[in-house]
Amino acid sequence: MLSRRCGVLGDPIAHSLSPVLHRAAYAELGLDWTYDAHRVPAGGLGEFVAGLGPEWRGLSLTMPLKREALPLVDRLTDRARLAGAVNTLVLEDDGTRVGDNTDLPGAAAAIRERTSVPLASAVVLGGGATATSVGLALADLGVRSIVVAVREESRAAETLAALRAHPAEPEVTVEPMSGGRLSADIVVSTIPASAQAPELVGRCAGVPVVFEVLYDPWPTPLAASATDSGRTLVGGLDLLVHQAALQLELFTGRQAPLAVMRDAGEHALAARHAD
C-alpha cells in the first residue's frame, strides 16, 4: 500500500505548528503518513507541485502562497473562489488538484468555540488573504458591518472586493490603521505583533471580543491586552487547530481527533516558550 505524504508550504515556515498537529492526528488514527514543512518562497509553488509524485495527497498553504495557488488547481471550492485564496490543496488519485479554503469554516468554528454572543459589527486589522478569509467567516456568522483597517487602502483591494461579494452583502468600509477608538463587537488582527503599537492596542480596548490570528509569538500585545482586561480572546492556535482538522479530514477521509491536535499544539507552544 502506498504510504501517503502531506506537508505545509510557505516562507517563512520554520515556525509552523502544522506538522505537530497533523502528525499527532496520524498517530491517533493509526495512519502511516508523513507530514513535513517545506520552505517555498513566492513564485516557487508551481515548480514544487509539478515535482510531486503519486504518494502526495495534500498540501497546506500559508503565506505567500495562498493566492499563488489559484491558477494551479483544476477545481476550486465555492469558499476558496469567494476568498480568492487556497490554503488547502487536495491531490486526488487521478491527478486532479482541488483548491479549498479551510480558514473560513475554521475561523467560524474558532470564534463560536469561545463565544456564543451575537456579532453584528467587526473591525479587521490588515488586508491580506487571512483578513479576507476571517472577514468572510464573520459574514457567515451574521456580521453585517465590517471595517477593514489598513495602512494603504490600495493593498486591500482584493480583500474589500471579496468581502463585498459575500452573499449576505455586508457593509464593508476601509479606514486608516491610526485614528480614534474603535467600536465593534469583535476585532480581528491579521497584522504582525511588531505592528501592534500601544496606540493601536488602545484603539481596540473597548472591543469585547478579540481574535488574534497569530499563535507565535504569544501573547501578542493585543492578545495580552484582551486577557488582562478580561475580554473574550480567540487565539491563533484556535484557528490553526480548527482549520487543520478540516484539512486532515479532506486529506484522509477520517474524522479529525480535534482534542488530540489541540493538546499537541499547546504542548509544542509551551515547549517553545520554555526555551
Side-chain angles (χ1 to χ4, degrees):
M1 184 176 179
L2 187 66
S3 180
R4 307 311 296 259
R5 295 185 66 184
C6 297
V8 58
L9 279 55
D11 185 22
I13 200 62
H15 70 287
S16 177
L17 281 181
S18 291
V20 172
L21 303 186
H22 284 260
R23 289 170 184 170
Y26 296 163
E28 178 70 14
L29 296 173
L31 294 175
D32 182 25
W33 289 34
T34 60
Y35 187 106
D36 298 299
H38 303 266
R39 179 179 173 271
V40 177
L45 182 60
E47 181 179 359
F48 186 94
V49 172
L52 298 180
E55 73 277 12
W56 283 84
R57 175 59 178 166
L59 301 175
S60 308
L61 304 179
T62 185
M63 297 302 294
L65 306 176
K66 293 182 180 183
R67 286 175 174 153
E68 190 172 317
L70 291 170
L72 302 178
V73 304
D74 301 301
R75 179 164 59 86
L76 276 176
T77 63
D78 290 342
R79 59 195 180 197
R81 182 177 293 105
L82 186 62
V86 170
N87 83 324
T88 306
L89 186 57
V90 181
L91 306 170
E92 302 284 8
D93 289 338
D94 64 1
T96 301
R97 302 171 185 168
V98 181
D100 204 342
N101 192 314
T102 63
D103 281 334
L104 273 72
I111 293 169
R112 280 298 166 234
E113 182 180 36
R114 297 298 179 185
T115 179
S116 59
V117 173
L119 303 172
S121 60
V123 174
V124 179
L125 307 178
T130 302
T132 303
S133 297
V134 180
L136 291 169
L138 291 169
D140 285 344
L141 291 174
V143 171
R144 302 292 298 159
S145 172
I146 302 174
V147 174
V148 179
V150 290
R151 290 189 181 85
E152 298 178 37
E153 182 174 346
S154 60
R155 298 181 65 178
E158 292 180 351
T159 293
L160 295 172
L163 297 183
R164 288 167 178 156
H166 190 281
E169 299 181 346
E171 178 187 1
V172 181
T173 57
V174 62
E175 68 172 50
M177 194 75 74
S178 59
R181 278 230 169 181
L182 295 173
S183 177
D185 295 325
I186 182 172
V187 60
V188 179
S189 175
T190 70
I191 63 176
S194 59
Q196 297 177 14
E199 177 193 2
L200 180 60
V201 174
R203 289 191 71 200
C204 301
V207 181
V209 180
V210 175
F211 188 172
E212 170 57 81
V213 305
L214 298 179
Y215 58 84
D216 192 10
W218 188 264
T220 65
L222 278 166
S225 174
T227 300
D228 291 345
S229 59
R231 291 177 287 156
T232 299
L233 175 62
V234 186
L237 184 60
D238 297 326
L239 171 60
L240 182 69
V241 169
H242 280 285
Q243 66 84 23
L246 292 166
Q247 285 184 335
L248 183 118
E249 292 174 0
L250 289 170
F251 295 160
T252 69
R254 302 278 295 277
Q255 183 174 353
L258 192 69
V260 169
M261 298 172 76
R262 181 187 298 279
D263 187 60
E266 289 175 347
H267 277 83
L269 278 180
R272 287 184 186 181
H273 296 156
D275 291 341

